[in-house]
């Protein structure tokens, strides 16, 4: 884990941000806990916007969706806690687009909030087949989450400048 933190820390100095760190974070989390879908969403008022996706055909970058009040939002966005959905029931509970997720052969999820200055500024989202994720898969992603905060801030600033 310390090697992964060192890698991400060193990459923050490199040009091509935030994609450089986003791609490395994608690769590191795939190696650590596995995933078939990896996305990053930043919070923009009452909406979230996708700023990274390893499967842009199904989940394109810049896709936006409203974040109305939901139990998932209360847990992750307000409660600032990770969400672990171990099966399709957990996916259905959390996401309105569960049919698309399930059609991709996915049935478990880890969502980790990226927190800066006391606020959730984005979410790190990993999805895999049903039953793939367990409790012990959440902590490694939580430990890495602060390393991606500068990328969320840069992506949000760039989007707002448009």
């Amino acid at each position: 884990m310390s090697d992964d933190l060192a890698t991400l820390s060193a990459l923050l100095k490199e040009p091509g941000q935030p994609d450089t760190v986003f791609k490395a974070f994608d690769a590191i989390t795939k190696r650590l806990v596995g995933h078939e879908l990896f996305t990053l969403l930043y919070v923009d008022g009452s909406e979230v916007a996708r700023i990274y996706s390893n499967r842009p055909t199904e989940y394109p970058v810049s896709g936006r969706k409203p974040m109305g009040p939901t139990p998932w939002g209360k847990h992750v966005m307000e409660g600032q806690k990770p969400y672990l959905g171990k099966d399709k029931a957990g996916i259905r509970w959390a996401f309105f687009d569960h049919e698309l997720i399930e059609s991709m052969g996915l049935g478990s999820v880890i969502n980790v909030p990226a927190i800066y200055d006391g606020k959730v500024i984005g979410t790190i989202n990993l999805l895999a087949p049903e039953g793939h994720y367990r409790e012990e898969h959440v902590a490694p992603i939580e430990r890495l989450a602060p390393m991606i905060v500068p990328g969320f801030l840069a992506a949000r600033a760039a989007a707002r400048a448009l």
Side-chain angles (χ1 to χ4, degrees):
M1 177 61 72
S2 63
D3 289 345
D4 296 325
L5 289 169
T7 296
L8 290 169
S9 179
L11 284 174
L12 285 170
K13 301 172 191 172
E14 298 298 318
Q17 299 300 334
D19 286 336
T20 301
V21 167
F22 290 169
K23 288 176 184 172
F25 203 95
D26 179 355
I28 289 168
T29 57
K30 186 171 183 83
R31 180 180 48 76
L32 286 175
V33 301
H35 62 69
E36 291 187 22
L37 175 62
F38 176 84
T39 66
L40 300 170
L41 299 170
Y42 82 82
V43 178
D44 189 13
S46 64
E47 293 186 323
V48 292
R50 194 170 304 106
I51 54 175
Y52 182 88
S53 174
N54 72 331
R55 293 181 67 173
T57 301
E58 298 95 338
Y59 284 93
V61 170
S62 78
R64 296 179 78 84
K65 54 186 173 182
M67 276 304 301
T70 66
W72 179 93
K74 186 173 179 109
H75 181 83
V76 176
M77 306 300 272
E78 291 177 34
Q80 300 184 350
K81 295 183 250 175
Y83 174 68
L84 170 64
K86 297 178 184 180
D87 55 24
K88 289 180 183 175
I91 295 284
R92 290 178 190 136
W93 176 84
F95 307 114
F96 72 89
D97 57 347
H98 60 85
E99 290 177 357
L100 174 58
I101 292 168
E102 290 176 23
S103 76
M104 297 167 62
L106 306 173
S108 62
V109 63
I110 295 173
N111 303 117
V112 172
I115 302 168
Y116 177 74
D117 195 24
K119 296 178 183 76
V120 174
I121 60 168
T123 62
I124 302 160
N125 314 294
L126 294 82
L127 291 98
E130 188 168 31
H132 178 83
Y133 294 126
R134 299 179 306 277
E135 295 291 336
E136 64 266 22
H137 290 125
V138 177
I141 310 307
E142 279 188 290
R143 283 192 294 273
L144 291 174
M147 298 305 294
I148 206 162
V149 165
F152 275 111
L153 294 173
R156 183 169 63 179
R160 289 183 173 172
L162 296 177

